[in-house]
Amino acid sequence: DMMKYFNLYLMCWLLFSGIASAQNTDAQIASVLATAHQQKSEQPLRDFYEKNEKQLSDYWKAYLLYRKSSLLGTYGSVKNEALRLLGKADIEKAVQLLEKKTDKDAEDWVLLALCESYALNFVAPNANMYQKAMKISNDLDEAFSLDKANPRYFLVMGIQDMYTPEMYGGQRKAENYFLQAITLFSKASKDSAVGWGYEDTYQLLVSFYLKKGEKEKAKETANKGATLFPQNEFFQKNKH
């Protein structure tokens, strides 16, 4: 009988150890995300979320919902209203999960700002945009006051600037923010609980250069990205 209990214990241990350490969660999601990109579908993220929902912290739930929503935007048919509504529901839920966290740390504030920023894709153009933009800006200030060397803070600042139209003062600082993020990512400890964003930063910087018509810089950056992230098709495509 002892054996039976031991097997049961082992089974439970295996079930939970898969998601026990936070570092592991980040790495697991990164590999699910890579699969999702290969399959050009958000389904792997949905499956992972449903399978692990009980063990995941609100932070990782919100992060997964953000990734799921943005992948729906990338690979889902824009004409499909059902998918659009699904993406909207995901990102709104992500914002709610982070909003209700009582003692937010820098990572919470950064992810909240990113989710709020992405949620703007789903609101009517004139829906208190100013207040929403101010809220995102305040959340990023909170993040910065708690951690001045968080690479994800600079990544989100870059995203904000990159997607702000030039007539509203955007597209002037994105490059510097992304480069600052890259420097911090390159020095970041491999054991930190939250590690996502390095690959995204390179990808966004390449996109930014392409958008600006700076082809040489785009190529050079894609080459660096391809060295660090050889599986990434985007870098392979843009390095020549």
Side-chain angles (χ1 to χ4, degrees):
D1 251 14
M2 209 41 218
M3 206 56 210
K4 195 171 86 184
Y5 279 112
F6 177 71
N7 283 336
L8 193 70
Y9 167 77
L10 189 72
M11 210 171 75
C12 289
W13 184 81
L14 285 170
L15 276 175
F16 286 101
S17 70
I19 200 142
S21 79
Q23 209 280 324
N24 213 348
T25 307
D26 194 312
Q28 277 184 306
I29 295 174
S31 102
V32 176
L33 192 57
T35 307
H37 280 300
Q38 278 157 2
Q39 296 179 7
K40 300 200 174 354
S41 158
E42 94 307 343
Q43 193 63 46
L45 290 167
R46 188 194 307 247
D47 295 342
F48 182 85
Y49 186 97
E50 284 167 9
K51 193 173 130 205
N52 296 293
E53 193 170 3
K54 292 196 169 56
Q55 298 104 284
L56 288 166
S57 69
D58 284 349
Y59 177 86
W60 289 116
K61 279 184 199 163
Y63 175 66
L64 269 165
L65 287 163
Y66 162 72
R67 289 294 192 184
K68 200 156 131 298
S69 183
S70 61
L71 274 190
L72 274 169
T74 309
Y75 298 127
S77 152
V78 183
K79 295 183 191 68
N80 188 331
E81 188 56 20
L83 284 185
R84 213 187 87 83
L85 289 172
L86 200 61
K88 184 176 192 282
D90 282 340
I91 203 67
E92 283 170 358
K93 187 175 174 188
V95 169
Q96 279 166 358
L97 284 168
L98 293 164
E99 280 284 16
K100 75 173 168 61
K101 278 196 79 169
T102 43
D103 44 352
K104 294 190 203 19
D105 62 13
E107 297 294 359
D108 294 321
W109 286 113
V110 168
L111 183 57
L112 177 57
L114 179 61
C115 290
E116 286 170 332
S117 171
Y118 191 72
L120 295 178
N121 289 308
F122 300 98
V123 299
N126 52 4
N128 359 333
M129 273 307 196
Y130 182 72
Q131 282 96 322
K132 290 185 194 300
M134 283 311 295
K135 168 84 169 72
I136 294 167
S137 172
N138 291 339
D139 291 349
L140 286 165
D141 289 347
E142 290 279 358
F144 191 67
S145 71
L146 292 167
D147 182 359
K148 298 196 170 27
N150 184 334
R152 279 162 294 280
Y153 164 81
F154 293 98
L155 164 60
V156 178
M157 289 294 284
I159 291 173
Q160 284 291 95
D161 187 75
M162 179 171 171
Y163 290 106
T164 301
E166 269 183 85
M167 58 187 273
Y168 295 117
Q171 319 204 2
R172 294 182 196 147
K173 300 180 191 153
E175 179 182 14
N176 283 341
Y177 284 137
F178 291 145
L179 290 170
Q180 217 163 339
I182 284 169
T183 302
L184 290 166
F185 274 121
S186 68
K187 295 180 192 159
S189 144
K190 296 281 173 280
D191 328 314
S192 60
V194 180
W196 62 268
Y198 198 5
E199 193 170 346
D200 301 281
T201 308
Y202 266 106
Q203 208 162 318
L204 283 158
L205 185 55
V206 173
S207 302
F208 181 73
Y209 287 142
L210 290 172
K211 193 173 163 182
K212 289 276 176 214
E214 300 187 34
K215 292 197 180 66
E216 280 313 305
K217 276 185 172 179
K219 239 190 322 201
E220 194 185 314
T221 309
N223 266 297
K224 287 181 189 162
T227 308
L228 286 164
F229 308 101
Q231 284 82 25
N232 186 311
E233 288 173 15
F234 178 80
F235 298 135
Q236 298 300 339
K237 203 172 69 192
N238 287 290
K239 67 181 198 181
H240 305 297

